[in-house]
Amino acid sequence: MSGFQVYNNSNFTDGVNITTACQWNIAKTILTFVFAITFLVNLFAALVIFRIPIDKSRKLANVQICVRILNILDLCQAFLMCIMPFFVSSDCGWFGGVPSCSILGYIGSILLVISPYIVTVMSFDRLLSVWRPLFYRSYFSMSVTVKIVVCIVVFVLLQMALPFVGVGRYMLYEGRGVCLLDMYSGDAGSIVITSLYMGEGLVSIILVAVWSILTVVGVKRMSSQIPQSSQMNRQARKANIGQFNKMTLAIGVLYIVCYLPFVARKFIEMVQGKHYLTTGPAASITFGLIFLNPLANPIVYVAFIRSYRSKVRHYFAWLPCRAANCACGAYREDQKKKTRHQSTVSAISITSTSSGPVSPNSRTSSTSFEL
């Protein structure tokens, strides 16, 4: 294929056999299977997440929007990585040639870069809600978050378009069967764009780590200031806003665990002057962790958010169940509890109406608190 560059044994790799690297093997089968599972999991997560209305009244809209965007990114990324290996022929050719590889590499790189930015925005959102609640409620609205996301998307689109104007390029990673940004050839353009990309990743990881720690400290500090008499507000906060705080922290930790090893390895290789595609367990693990993140994100959503779990149980309510703690059984138990709660509230309302109006002095005052 004229003008088409691949990473093979004669130029950029340190031991990949060009006669077998582009042939379909068990490694590509496993990767495709994992990406297919990731796509299905995120597709099901989208059916859950987008069925839950955005809760504007409790200032959770920003996080919910970020979760939806992150889910769409993970879904598209898994689909793209699942179909890419089928474009590679056994002689390391790419169906569609350089234009096809560059376009798919451009899209894939955009999805990989935007996701860390969204996680960073989520961490900053929770930090503001804890340490500057008045400013957060007054100025950091849902529209502001949408504008920030739009600016991020435009910036990443322009940044990842640099290879089209001669700064870097998109290449076929033969052993993995994907077209992504060239980070190994060692020419000036690739070094510039790789340094820029890795620098942004390192700054994002540091910010997420620091902001997550400060959020935990702020939550504990504010919790200690709540009067002991405000038990109902404490429980409400824990059941609603606290869930999203914990979920955001978990997503941040997961992002650091999945991205930091790859960023650290690339920086070490750049310092050592290794401008070629390294192989071995370390390279495979650090590369694979990045693509494990989209698979783990939906699990975090459901694990921490009760409304998401309820919707999952609703989808599986048709299954025959015997135990009350299985998915459909738990959903039916939740429905029974909700019915009993509504009946209790109705009975209390009838009793209060029959006993006459309640004086304002007899009402128990409580301190409201919102993260």
Side-chain angles (χ1 to χ4, degrees), residues 272-335:
Q272 295 176 346
K274 292 182 178 180
H275 300 300
Y276 52 84
L277 178 60
T278 56
T279 59
S284 301
I285 292 174
T286 55
F287 185 82
L289 280 175
I290 294 179
F291 297 101
L292 181 64
N293 196 15
L295 177 61
N297 280 336
I299 300 175
V300 174
Y301 306 152
V302 176
F304 284 91
I305 306 302
R306 182 176 301 172
S307 58
Y308 294 163
R309 293 198 301 271
S310 298
K311 185 61 66 174
V312 171
R313 293 166 183 166
H314 173 73
Y315 283 129
F316 289 99
W318 56 273
L319 292 174
C321 282
R322 295 182 180 180
N325 60 348
C326 66
C328 55
Y331 172 76
R332 292 165 185 163
E333 290 296 323
D334 288 344
Q335 293 299 104

Side-chain angles (χ1 to χ4, degrees), residues 101-117:
C101 177
S102 298
I103 292 174
L104 291 179
Y106 176 64
I107 297 174
S109 299
I110 288 173
L111 297 174
L112 284 172
V113 175
I114 292 181
S115 295
Y117 277 108

Side-chain angles (χ1 to χ4, degrees), residues 7 12-14 16 112 173 176 178 180-185 194-195 197-199 201-202 205 256-291:
Y7 289 111
F12 302 130
T13 62
D14 58 349
V16 179
L112 284 172
Y173 290 75
R176 295 157 185 168
V178 296
L180 289 173
L181 188 67
D182 173 21
M183 294 188 292
Y184 296 96
S185 63
T194 301
S195 301
Y197 181 26
M198 293 297 106
L202 182 60
I205 290 172
I256 294 173
V257 170
C258 292
Y259 276 78
L260 181 58
F262 179 80
V263 174
R265 181 175 67 86
K266 277 303 302 173
F267 268 116
I268 294 174
E269 290 177 353
M270 291 175 65
V271 171
Q272 295 176 346
K274 292 182 178 180
H275 300 300
Y276 52 84
L277 178 60
T278 56
T279 59
S284 301
I285 292 174
T286 55
F287 185 82
L289 280 175
I290 294 179
F291 297 101

Side-chain angles (χ1 to χ4, degrees), residues 234-248:
R234 187 189 298 269
Q235 293 298 326
R237 173 180 56 83
K238 181 179 178 180
N240 292 282
I241 300 175
Q243 295 181 27
F244 283 86
N245 287 341
K246 294 177 181 179
M247 181 201 68
T248 304

